[in-house]
Amino acid sequence: MIEKPREMSTFILRSGVLILSFGIASEIVYQIYKRVNTKNKGKRRKFPKTEVLFFPDETVACKSYFTDDYGCRNSNCRFTHEENSLSKLFTYLMSARTSIDICIFVITCSDLAELLIQSHKKGVVVRVVTDNEQVDVPGSQIWKLRKAGIPVRIDNSSFFMHHKFAIIDQEHLMNGSFNWTQKAITGNQENILITNNEDIVLPFISEFQKLWLKFDPNQN
Ligand SMILES: *[C@@H]1O[C@H](CO)[C@@H](O)[C@H](O)[C@H]1NC(C)=O
Ligand SMILES: *[C@@H]1O[C@H](CO)[C@@H](O)[C@H](O)[C@H]1NC(C)=O
Ligand SMILES: *[C@@H]1O[C@H](CO)[C@@H](O)[C@H](O)[C@H]1NC(C)=O
Ligand SMILES: [Zn+2]
């Protein structure tokens, strides 16, 4: 009978320790979850109203770091994890929810092509118009895009399809001097303007639509 209170208090002590350690464990799990989650949210960048990106970047941004859910797993990564113009371009493209329409003179940058393919696989509708003179340049990513199931229409006129713009979710325009090539990223002086100003975006949407129909292979 005298033992009872002690048993009772041991019981209470044990339960207390158990509850406390459970609490600590779940707090740790929550903190880890929060860190991982905000890390990826941080990279999924919200579109600004207007922004201008300038190239060249000094170093090439690591596509995995900025676009993969788990970041870059290469401990000897030779690309940069610092934010720069290309990393912003990556994250803007990746933030597309419904559509990406692109008119581009030449695309040889495989990271950008892969981002389009990733978006396409996620269910984003990706459409590309490009120029016939550039389809077969060395490193052209056009066949890779087509193989992945992205529709690409080609300006087969003797004139250049010289536009370089992308429309994201029918809302944001990215246009500039920038060919999607390695040289434009780390060599050339280039610019990209990003805007959601309707006065600018809407004409580009109708221009894209016009070219998309014009270069429909079944129509001509
Ligand atoms: C981007 O579009 C705007 C609006 O049409 C235009 O003023 C600007 O010159 C374009 N930039 C390039 C580099 O084509
Ligand atoms: C980039 O585009 C320009 C035209 O704006 C073209 O003259 C040039 O050859 C292109 N650069 C590359 C590397 O293809
Ligand atoms: C472009 O391709 C269409 C069919 O896809 C063809 O009818 C047209 O003649 C071609 N134009 C040129 C300039 O090759
Ligand atoms: Zn990396």
Side-chain angles (χ1 to χ4, degrees):
M1 285 314 268
I2 297 169
E3 286 301 298
K4 255 263 156 83
R6 190 181 290 171
E7 261 179 38
M8 198 64 188
S9 63
T10 317
F11 175 71
I12 290 172
L13 195 70
R14 281 192 184 154
S15 327
V17 168
L18 202 70
I19 289 168
L20 198 68
S21 41
F22 182 76
I24 291 171
S26 57
E27 178 64 18
I28 290 171
V29 168
Y30 173 68
Q31 288 299 337
I32 291 172
Y33 167 78
K34 208 169 78 175
R35 183 160 304 177
V36 169
N37 215 30
T38 46
K39 197 170 128 218
N40 288 331
K41 277 222 181 77
K43 285 189 280 179
R44 205 169 282 264
R45 149 181 284 274
K46 251 188 94 164
F47 267 102
K49 278 208 173 81
T50 320
E51 182 173 0
V52 186
L53 306 179
F54 290 104
F55 294 86
D57 283 334
E58 271 172 27
T59 41
V60 178
C62 174
K63 176 177 165 292
S64 302
Y65 181 78
F66 288 100
T67 66
D68 290 357
D69 281 348
Y70 298 101
C72 176
R73 296 180 188 180
N74 183 352
S75 53
N76 296 317
C77 180
R78 60 198 177 90
F79 302 106
T80 186
H81 293 179
E82 303 283 325
E83 186 171 74
N84 60 19
S85 294
L86 183 63
S87 80
K88 288 181 181 174
L89 184 59
F90 283 159
T91 45
Y92 288 141
L93 281 173
M94 199 187 61
S95 68
R97 285 166 288 123
T98 56
S99 66
I100 305 179
D101 289 332
I102 293 174
C103 272
I104 193 80
F105 182 61
V106 49
I107 171 167
T108 57
C109 175
S110 59
D111 280 348
L112 288 170
E114 270 160 30
L115 256 187
L116 296 180
I117 292 171
Q118 273 168 239
S119 297
H120 169 75
K121 286 186 179 153
K122 271 192 323 199
V124 173
V125 177
V126 181
R127 299 186 293 180
V128 178
V129 173
T130 191
D131 194 84
N132 63 339
E133 268 88 352
Q134 296 298 324
V135 167
D136 292 321
V137 296
S140 172
Q141 300 292 305
I142 292 302
W143 302 112
K144 199 158 97 188
L145 296 179
R146 280 198 159 158
K147 209 169 149 213
I150 294 176
V152 179
R153 293 192 178 173
I154 295 173
D155 174 355
N156 66 347
S157 72
S158 55
F159 298 101
F160 286 155
M161 203 304 299
H162 216 237
H163 290 306
K164 300 160 190 77
F165 68 82
I167 304 159
I168 311 292
D169 296 338
Q170 305 273 302
E171 257 173 31
H172 289 90
L173 171 76
M174 305 200 275
N175 82 313
S177 58
F178 187 77
N179 292 325
W180 289 17
T181 64
Q182 202 69 19
K183 205 166 127 195
I185 294 164
T186 50
N188 300 350
Q189 309 291 339
E190 311 268 5
N191 71 76
I192 296 184
L193 171 75
I194 298 165
T195 181
N196 69 351
N197 181 332
E198 286 194 346
D199 292 342
I200 300 175
V201 180
L202 294 180
F204 275 89
I205 290 177
S206 52
E207 184 64 15
F208 183 87
Q209 198 54 27
K210 197 181 90 189
L211 295 175
W212 186 251
L213 295 177
K214 180 170 176 186
F215 301 123
D216 179 353
N218 302 317
Q219 206 179 353
N220 298 313

